[in-house]
Amino acid sequence: MELLVRLILLPPILVAAFNGMMGLFSPAYRKQEWLLGGLALAAVAVPFAVTCMLFFGFEGAEVVRYFTWMTAGDLRVDFAYRIDELSLLMTMIVTGVGSLIHLYSIGYMHGDSGYWRFFAYLNLFIFAMLNLVLAESLPVLFLGWEGVGLCSYLLIGFWYTDLKNSAAANKAFIVNRVGDFAFLLAMFIIFKTVTDATQGPFGLDFATLLQPETLALFAGGTGFWVTVLLLIGATGKSAQIPLFVWLPDAMAGPTPVSALIHAATMVTSGLYLLARLSPLVLTSGALWIIATVGAVTAIMAATVAITQNDIKKVLAYSTVSQLGYMFLAAGVGAFFVAIFHVMTHAFFKACLFLGSGSVIHSMHHVEHELEHKGLIPSHHGPGSHDTPLDSEATQDPLRHSPLPYDGPFDAQDMRTMGGLKRFMPLTRWTFLISTLAIAGLPPLAGFFSKDEILFRAFEFGQSAHIGYGVLWIVGLVTAVLTAIYMMRAYLLTFEGTPRWPDSMDTHPHESPWTMTVPLVVLAALAVVGGFLGLPPVFEDIGLPGSWIHGWLVGHGDHLGPVADSLDPLWAGVSPYELHKPSHAVEWALLGLGAAISLLGIGAAVYFFRFGTRGPEADRKARKVFGLFYTPASHVWGWDQFYNATFVKGTVEGARKVLAPFDKNVVDGGVMGLAGLVRDAAGRLRGVQTGVVQTYALAIVVGVVAVVALVLFV
């Protein structure tokens, strides 16, 4: 087992170091794109193959210890990894989807001057995430937690010569530090609580922490505040209110990075943390906070997504909204459903992001051709695939062209597109399948995972508190909005007629196979992935029950690693009693979920008339729903609020307090010391006269002084 765990963890870090060092010191190596990309892909594909082998041969949880990381007082942390049902599933998602994104990147990043650096960072990202999901203790998990934060900073600001991209990277890094601080506080409280009670060494390992006798120490207020702090940490990594603002700006990075962050790595960290500690979270009394944060985030982000015109920003706010669904699931004690939605979301959201990258890649060729024809002024720098958000290009008045909106040409703006299905059939079909999946159309993956979340919210409302019924209704409304904004994105992009200048003679083209193969595989997974979590009521018609429930929660007498608030297996931990709805109600709720999906899809098709109405429909919506549309298009003022309070206050405080301190104390001290040395040196310089007799006299005086000291002191 030790060797197999090494084969999962070591390839990404070794290849990251090799590609990074070789690319740094060998300009010739930087040009070997297939070698660079092939090594990077193999470094993720090998761990995926090893994980599959462990998955199919799994017989029980094991812990692999390598060495003692730190020892101090009662703290003893081993560098150890855990192989169980949850870590195996998450590792398969990270390496499986990660492999497809690496293959896609080989084609997408072709010709970029930072090709070697990009793959070094990408492998490092995978290593950090694997460290996070395989960790056996909170400190080792935190190591991976910080690692993904660092890698996201490096990759979001990958094209660092553009200050906007650097600002987006800084924003992601700084906002996440708030959550990380809360996570650290939670770890300190956990350590103090356990060591005070047991008077023995404790390494914050899960095997000890999740024992019933240890969990009993967190009954009452301690468990509540620990869970709240963990939730704050999770809201940072998983982009929930109030720390979600970094994720939409993270679109400044290359599109494969967006796919990796949104589908397989960073944003899943918070959900994974809550699921790993689910027995502790379940008894904390803080579930209602988690559920409320999730539901409010879900509907807020969905209303913003419906107003966006940048195709990547639509998907970014969609991710925030879907993560809200996952937090809602965790907030009703259905942690396995949250992980189920993490999995299905990884399939269709990775496909959607990579599909948008394929579209942007093609629209950039259109842009270059239009520039070559002189229809729009040339502006693009070499090696740039994505248009930076709010870039100088979009602010340049010379780039205005005859477009169906008042603004410059933008390769990411859906109003510039339309009719792409004729030119990009593979991208179109895979994007459509994933759109329908996230919209919740049965029997695609999103239908089962999202419907299970809504069902568990309804069921928990009956079993715990009726107030959860309100959150269930919020989830239903969000589901309608999801179907509308995703179908809007598809219709504006692929249906209707082309809206870019010279569309009769200037055509986009389908992407190379390295980019389309991952799209096809992910779309296929978006079709079949949901069957791993069929609702139990399907057993009535002879179909198997939910595999993922049995795998994560347990079945028979076997207890899995993930707690379930309403499962009899967890009756000794869960404070909630099950009031299970009848099968008739379950079927009715399934029908309601399907009807909601069809309602949203139908509304979008009617409103946009298969894309023929294009931006005209948006203008009409803005006019009709202006009271809500305008603030939603400005993200309900969250960025303005942070800028007016924390950012402006910090900058002003630094200018008024720290700048004078720096000038008068720090600079003054340094300059004063330098002046003192300069003055002393000037006085001593007079001693160096160059006259030998003077030096001889000084020696005599010195000898006399030393003799006097020896004799009389």
Side-chain angles (χ1 to χ4, degrees):
M1 181 62 76
E2 284 189 18
L3 176 62
L4 293 177
V5 174
R6 288 178 197 273
L7 286 175
I8 293 173
L9 284 161
L10 289 182
I13 187 65
L14 292 178
V15 172
F18 180 79
N19 276 344
M21 297 302 288
M22 287 294 292
L24 186 62
F25 294 110
S26 172
Y29 185 73
R30 298 175 194 172
K31 299 176 183 175
Q32 306 299 321
E33 290 191 355
W34 275 102
L35 178 59
L36 264 163
L39 280 174
L41 172 60
V44 187
V46 168
F48 176 67
V50 174
T51 309
C52 287
M53 193 171 69
L54 287 172
F55 174 80
F56 288 110
F58 183 75
E59 294 180 347
E62 288 189 48
V63 175
V64 179
R65 301 181 192 281
Y66 289 104
F67 55 88
T68 298
W69 181 18
M70 58 178 104
T71 303
D74 291 333
L75 178 67
R76 177 191 168 90
V77 179
D78 290 335
F79 223 97
Y81 295 99
R82 168 176 284 270
I83 301 296
D84 64 10
E85 295 90 337
L86 178 59
S87 62
L88 279 177
L89 186 63
M90 288 297 295
T91 303
M92 290 179 72
I93 294 172
V94 173
T95 54
V97 177
S99 296
L100 294 171
I101 292 173
H102 273 68
L103 174 60
Y104 178 94
S105 302
I106 291 174
Y108 188 84
M109 295 302 289
H110 169 65
D112 194 287
S113 58
Y115 194 87
W116 61 278
R117 191 163 46 89
F118 176 81
F119 278 103
Y121 291 163
L122 219 54
N123 278 156
L124 191 62
F125 207 153
I126 294 291
F127 169 74
M129 193 63 197
L130 289 176
N131 205 73
L132 192 156
V133 299
L134 289 170
E136 160 56 4
S137 64
L138 284 172
V140 178
L141 187 152
F142 190 73
L143 196 66
W145 185 275
E146 288 301 300
V148 295
L150 170 65
C151 293
S152 67
Y153 168 78
L154 295 173
L155 285 166
I156 293 168
F158 180 73
W159 290 313
Y160 56 85
T161 53
D162 190 311
L163 292 180
K164 295 288 184 184
N165 296 348
S166 298
N170 290 336
K171 186 175 183 181
F173 192 79
I174 293 167
V175 171
N176 271 283
R177 296 291 75 72
V178 178
D180 295 352
F181 181 66
F183 187 8
L184 274 174
L185 284 179
M187 279 200 291
F188 294 153
I189 295 174
I190 291 172
F191 177 75
K192 188 174 187 312
T193 304
V194 176
T195 52
D196 283 353
T198 61
Q199 300 293 319
F202 178 47
L204 292 161
D205 58 286
F206 298 128
T208 305
L209 176 60
L210 300 180
Q211 290 293 321
E213 55 270 23
T214 312
L215 291 175
L217 301 174
F218 295 94
T222 306
F224 176 83
W225 289 112
V226 165
T227 302
V228 169
L229 289 170
L230 291 173
L231 172 63
I232 295 172
T235 57
K237 280 288 184 288
S238 294
Q240 296 292 285
I241 287 175
L243 300 178
F244 74 96
V245 291
W246 66 271
L247 190 60
D249 286 6
M251 299 300 97
T255 299
V257 173
S258 306
L260 196 62
I261 290 176
H262 285 249
T265 55
M266 188 162 171
V267 299
T268 64
S269 305
L271 267 305
Y272 172 78
L273 177 67
L274 295 179
R276 174 59 74 192
L277 298 177
S278 51
L280 171 65
V281 176
L282 200 59
T283 57
S284 66
L287 284 184
W288 64 274
I289 300 179
I290 301 173
T292 304
V293 166
V296 174
T297 304
I299 194 166
M300 182 277 298
T303 58
V304 177
I306 216 165
T307 66
Q308 300 298 304
N309 292 313
D310 185 308
I311 188 170
K312 285 178 68 176
K313 277 205 167 183
V314 174
L315 299 180
Y317 284 106
S318 167
T319 299
V320 176
S321 179
Q322 296 303 305
L323 288 166
Y325 267 117
M326 298 171 204
F327 273 74
L328 175 59
V332 297
F335 299 95
F336 82 95
V337 182
I339 297 298
F340 181 34
H341 201 53
V342 165
M343 184 187 72
T344 60
H345 181 261
F347 299 152
F348 48 69
K349 187 50 66 68
C351 187
L352 288 168
F353 262 112
L354 298 185
S356 74
S358 180
V359 167
I360 294 166
H361 187 266
S362 188
M363 288 303 294
H364 271 300
H365 283 283
V366 170
E367 184 176 17
H368 294 321
E369 198 168 337
L370 293 176
E371 290 172 350
H372 180 71
K373 291 179 179 178
L375 295 174
I376 59 173
S378 177
H379 187 281
H380 247 67
S384 177
H385 298 279
D386 299 62
T387 302
L389 301 178
D390 301 325
S391 66
E392 292 179 4
T394 61
Q395 299 168 10
D396 186 350
L398 293 178
R399 293 177 62 77
H400 281 255
S401 54
L403 292 166
Y405 61 90
D406 182 20
F409 186 94
D410 185 346
Q412 292 183 199
D413 196 315
M414 294 183 295
R415 295 171 297 179
T416 317
M417 304 173 188
L420 289 181
K421 68 178 183 181
R422 289 171 49 202
F423 311 105
M424 309 180 71
L426 269 177
T427 302
R428 176 263 184 124
W429 281 112
T430 54
F431 197 96
L432 177 59
I433 289 170
S434 298
T435 296
L436 296 176
I438 195 174
L441 186 72
L444 303 179
F447 168 73
F448 292 111
S449 55
K450 193 183 299 180
D451 186 78
E452 189 69 6
I453 292 172
L454 295 173
F455 173 72
R456 289 302 297 261
F458 180 86
E459 188 181 34
F460 197 73
Q462 287 190 324
S463 302
H465 192 281
I466 193 65
Y468 285 93
V470 176
L471 302 183
W472 172 67
I473 293 172
V474 171
L476 289 176
V477 175
T478 304
V480 178
L481 294 175
T482 303
I484 291 175
Y485 71 68
M486 283 310 307
M487 277 308 292
R488 169 181 174 268
Y490 166 76
L491 294 169
L492 284 179
T493 304
F494 293 99
E495 299 289 347
T497 55
R499 293 185 288 274
W500 60 86
D502 194 37
S503 58
M504 293 294 289
D505 297 321
T506 305
H507 299 152
H509 59 77
E510 186 58 278
S511 298
W513 71 269
T514 53
M515 294 170 64
T516 53
V517 167
L519 294 179
V520 173
V521 175
L522 287 166
L525 291 171
V527 173
V528 302
F531 290 95
L532 296 176
L534 288 178
V537 72
F538 272 51
E539 295 176 13
D540 292 354
I541 56 175
L543 292 175
S546 173
W547 169 84
I548 200 164
H549 178 273
W551 178 256
L552 293 177
V553 177
H555 52 79
D557 296 330
H558 171 68
L559 206 60
V562 177
D564 185 349
S565 61
L566 301 180
D567 194 289
L569 271 176
W570 288 88
V573 173
S574 174
Y576 305 100
E577 293 183 8
L578 173 63
H579 295 281
K580 195 170 181 57
S582 67
H583 284 196
V585 173
E586 287 189 54
W587 283 113
L589 291 175
L590 278 168
L592 179 62
I596 281 175
S597 171
L598 289 171
L599 173 66
I601 293 170
V605 170
Y606 172 78
F607 202 58
F608 290 92
R609 306 279 170 82
F610 288 100
T612 57
R613 292 180 69 180
E616 178 196 343
D618 280 333
R619 282 194 287 269
K620 193 169 184 179
R622 183 183 291 272
K623 192 174 180 180
V624 174
F625 301 105
L627 185 62
F628 301 101
Y629 195 97
T630 302
S633 66
H634 291 89
V635 199
W636 296 101
W638 279 95
D639 275 323
Q640 290 88 337
F641 170 73
Y642 283 134
N643 284 332
T645 53
F646 300 106
V647 177
K648 190 176 179 182
T650 303
V651 172
E652 285 296 311
R655 190 174 64 81
K656 292 180 178 176
V657 178
L658 297 181
F661 179 81
D662 182 59
K663 182 179 178 182
N664 299 322
V665 179
V666 179
D667 288 354
V670 172
M671 297 303 291
L673 182 62
L676 187 65
V677 172
R678 186 180 62 244
D679 292 344
R683 296 179 188 277
L684 289 174
R685 189 166 57 230
V687 178
Q688 292 183 319
T689 61
V691 180
V692 177
Q693 291 86 345
T694 306
Y695 295 155
L697 178 62
I699 292 172
V700 171
V701 172
V703 169
V704 171
V706 169
V707 171
L709 284 172
V710 171
L711 292 178
F712 300 110
V713 178

